[in-house]
């Protein structure tokens, strides 16, 4: 099946598509994390538990690579003069934010989730059906006509299709306007392999590096030119085959908790009523999980839109984001998938809905004010965790981690204020 062309005639067209790519990578990552958190840690046979532990590790690795893709998109946006953003619509997204072929919903690990993941990561030209939970939508948007000045939604069948369109569009813009004009962003705004601690990270400063960043995303997702065995698609296919073999041997095998992407309150941007958590203890945990998630987004936003931070301060920001993800959000989200969702949802556990409580914006560009806001919010989260710590060891551990993150930012801010480290990392 031939992919319809994606039209890019000017910077705003590619800017719009990169925002969509950012939201898509972000939401796909959340789907994979939700499935990972839902997997069981006990109650299975030795063979089953070994398989589940492998799947957990594999899902986590794929989700981490989606974080890399999100960071690469941020680099692409910075390179063309667009501010990276980590805002996105709430789950579920059936027909609206993306083309009809791209629908997103939080699902616990199982038949439906694996079918959905394989559908999302399918290579160009491969026919697969999405899971039954995903309904058909209205026809795709009309193609952009020549000369349209305002960007708008365009049809893309797969994630790889979107990125190939962006790559072709950037190539055409460079041919039209020149490389220096198109890639006008500051090289210092780029996340580098050294800063982000990822050898696969590509700092985007010209067309060649932009194409390298896009190729990295495509190759990790669907595979390069049909070589999908080691890409996300092939890795999910292997899990799918193992899952079905274990189900055939034991039809009662359930590798995951019946987690529900339940909200603390009805999301502001979703019209259809969503499941709400009704158990008070679970609700408190869900709120902490959402606060940790929000803090990670703010830390990443500051990292990718920093102004005069030193190299040392940028390292503190990205370390804080990674620690909050691994040592706060992950254990809280995993525990949430084991807690009852409430009387309205018998037999179901809760799960992190990754709630967006508002249209996420950015803080002011000035470093001192921005760091003050970040530290204040982290201390609020630590205090909220501490209020539940006496009765919940998972929350107690999270409280200690958030406090350590806030202390690290506070120490870096104090060091900068004393003049020990100058902007750009020079003493």
């Amino acid at each position: 099946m031939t992919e319809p062309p994606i039209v890019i005639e000017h910077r705003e067209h590619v800017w719009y598509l990169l925002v969509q790519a950012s939201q898509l990578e972000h939401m796909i990552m959340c789907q994979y994390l939700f499935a990972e958190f839902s997997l069981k840690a006990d109650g299975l046979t030795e063979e089953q538990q070994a398989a589940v532990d492998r799947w957990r590790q594999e899902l986590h690795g794929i989700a981490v690579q989606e974080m890399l893709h999100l960071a690469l998109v941020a680099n692409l946006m910075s390179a063309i003069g667009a501010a990276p953003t980590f805002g996105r619509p709430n789950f579920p997204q059936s027909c609206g934010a993306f083309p009809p072929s791209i629908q997103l919903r939080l699902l616990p690990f199982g038949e439906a989730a694996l079918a959905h993941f394989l559908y999302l990561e399918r290579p160009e030209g491969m026919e697969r059906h999405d899971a039954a939970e995903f309904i058909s939508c209205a026809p795709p948007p009309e193609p952009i006509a020549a000369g349209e000045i305002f960007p708008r939604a365009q049809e893309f069948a797969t994630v790889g299709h979107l990125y190939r369109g962006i790559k072709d569009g950037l190539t055409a813009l460079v041919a039209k306007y020149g490389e220096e004009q198109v890639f006008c962003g500051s090289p210092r705004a780029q996340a580098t392999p050294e800063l982000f601690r990822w050898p696969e990270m590509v700092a985007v400063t010209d067309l060649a590096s932009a194409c390298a960043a896009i190729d990295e995303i495509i190759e990790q997702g669907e595979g390069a030119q049909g070589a999908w065995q080691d890409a996300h698609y092939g890795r999910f296919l292997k899990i799918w085959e193992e899952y079905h073999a274990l189900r055939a041997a034991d039809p009662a095998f359930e590798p995951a908790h019946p987690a529900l992407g339940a909200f603390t309150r009805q999301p502001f941007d979703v019209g259809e009523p969503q499941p709400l958590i009704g158990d008070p203890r679970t609700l408190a945990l869900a709120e902490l999980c959402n606060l940790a998630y929000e803090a990670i987004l703010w830390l990443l936003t500051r990292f990718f839109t920093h102004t005069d931070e030193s190299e040392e301060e940028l390292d503190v920001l990205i370390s804080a984001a990674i620690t909050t993800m691994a040592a706060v959000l992950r254990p809280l989200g995993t525990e949430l998938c084991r807690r009852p969702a409430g009387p309205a949802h018998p037999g179901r556990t809760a799960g992190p809905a990754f709630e967006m409580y508002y249209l996420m914006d950015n803080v002011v560009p000035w470093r001192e004010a921005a760091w003050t806001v970040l530290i204040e919010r982290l201390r609020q989260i630590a205090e909220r965790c501490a209020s539940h710590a006496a009765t919940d060891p998972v929350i107690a551990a999270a409280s200690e981690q958030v406090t350590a993150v806030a202390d690290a930012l506070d120490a870096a801010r104090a060091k900068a204020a004393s003049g020990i480290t100058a902007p750009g990392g020079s003493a």
Side-chain angles (χ1 to χ4, degrees):
M1 183 171 61
T2 304
E3 295 177 338
I6 291 176
V7 177
I8 295 177
E9 291 194 345
H10 48 73
R11 189 184 309 273
E12 283 66 25
H13 279 162
V14 72
W15 187 339
Y16 182 96
L17 291 171
L18 284 170
V19 170
Q20 280 210 308
S22 176
Q23 293 176 342
L24 187 56
E25 296 289 3
H26 189 164
M27 296 184 79
I28 289 174
M29 177 185 69
C30 290
Q31 287 186 134
Y32 296 165
L33 288 173
F34 188 93
E36 176 204 339
F37 295 165
S38 73
L39 285 167
K40 293 178 179 177
D42 52 40
L44 304 172
T45 68
E46 184 176 348
E47 179 188 13
Q48 291 169 347
Q49 191 62 63
V52 168
D53 290 343
R54 285 197 306 274
W55 300 342
R56 181 183 292 106
Q57 184 176 6
E58 193 76 349
L59 274 166
H60 183 70
I62 293 172
V64 167
Q65 286 191 330
E66 294 296 338
M67 179 67 239
L68 171 64
H69 299 175
L70 183 57
L72 288 170
V73 173
N75 272 359
L76 287 162
M77 293 184 73
S78 292
I80 66 164
T85 175
F86 294 93
R88 58 162 185 79
N90 272 300
F91 289 99
Q93 284 298 318
S94 296
C95 305
F98 304 104
S101 57
I102 306 291
Q103 300 183 40
L104 304 164
R105 183 179 296 270
L106 297 170
L107 298 169
F109 183 94
E111 176 84 22
L114 289 172
H116 180 53
F117 299 164
L118 284 165
Y119 176 80
L120 286 176
E121 300 282 8
R122 70 194 188 283
E124 175 190 2
M126 182 175 288
E127 292 291 335
R128 286 200 78 96
H129 294 290
D130 208 342
E133 284 85 345
F134 297 88
I135 61 173
S136 59
C137 295
E142 290 292 323
I144 288 182
E148 283 195 46
I149 190 67
F150 293 111
R152 59 178 174 84
Q154 299 191 53
E155 168 68 357
F156 52 89
T158 64
V159 177
H161 179 193
L162 170 62
Y163 283 111
R164 280 185 282 274
I166 292 172
K167 182 178 178 180
D168 291 344
L170 286 171
T171 303
L173 288 179
V174 166
K176 185 176 181 180
Y177 297 113
E179 199 163 51
E180 186 175 350
Q181 176 72 16
V182 173
F183 295 97
C184 60
S186 168
R188 192 169 182 275
Q190 292 291 305
T192 63
E194 295 76 21
L195 272 176
F196 219 72
R197 304 169 193 168
W198 243 321
E200 299 92 342
M201 177 60 68
V202 179
V204 178
T205 55
D206 52 21
L207 181 60
S209 53
C211 291
I214 292 169
D215 288 344
E216 184 73 34
I217 295 171
I218 294 173
E219 288 172 16
Q220 287 188 353
E222 66 176 43
Q225 299 177 343
W228 48 258
Q229 286 78 7
D230 295 324
H232 292 181
Y233 179 82
R235 292 159 74 179
F236 278 129
L237 188 62
K238 184 177 180 180
I239 294 174
W240 168 275
E241 291 168 349
E242 289 181 345
Y243 169 77
H244 279 275
L246 286 171
R247 288 278 289 181
D250 179 5
F253 171 53
E254 292 292 348
H257 298 278
L260 183 65
F263 287 80
T264 61
R265 64 188 184 206
Q266 174 66 26
F268 72 94
D269 57 346
V270 178
E272 177 187 354
Q274 294 303 303
L276 303 180
I277 296 173
D279 182 280
R281 191 162 172 262
T282 304
L283 180 62
L285 180 61
E287 288 176 341
L288 294 174
C289 199
N290 287 330
L291 285 169
Y293 171 63
E294 179 193 55
I296 293 165
L297 300 187
W298 279 120
L299 290 163
L300 290 173
T301 297
R302 185 60 192 175
F303 177 87
F304 280 100
T305 59
H306 69 268
T307 51
D308 59 343
E309 274 88 346
S310 66
E311 296 292 306
E312 182 180 353
E313 288 165 330
L314 292 176
D315 184 70
V316 170
L317 283 172
I318 198 60
S319 296
I322 292 170
T323 298
T324 307
M325 168 66 81
V328 183
L329 179 63
R330 193 181 188 194
L332 291 180
T334 300
E335 179 64 20
L336 190 58
C337 288
R338 287 142 179 75
R339 300 278 180 90
H345 313 290
R348 299 297 298 270
T349 62
F354 302 99
E355 290 184 47
M356 304 294 291
Y357 289 103
Y358 49 86
L359 291 173
M360 187 177 174
D361 208 337
N362 205 343
V363 293
V364 295
W366 298 282
R367 177 184 53 177
E368 177 64 25
W371 281 60
T372 296
V373 172
L374 284 172
I375 294 165
E376 177 183 271
R377 191 56 163 168
L378 286 164
R379 297 225 180 273
Q380 288 174 346
I381 298 170
E383 290 170 6
R384 182 64 67 93
C385 285
S387 68
H388 298 279
T391 58
D392 198 315
V394 175
I395 296 178
S399 178
E400 292 177 3
Q401 292 291 338
V402 177
T403 299
V405 167
D407 288 346
L409 264 70
D410 227 346
R413 179 178 61 171
K415 189 175 182 181
S418 70
I420 296 174
T421 305
S426 58

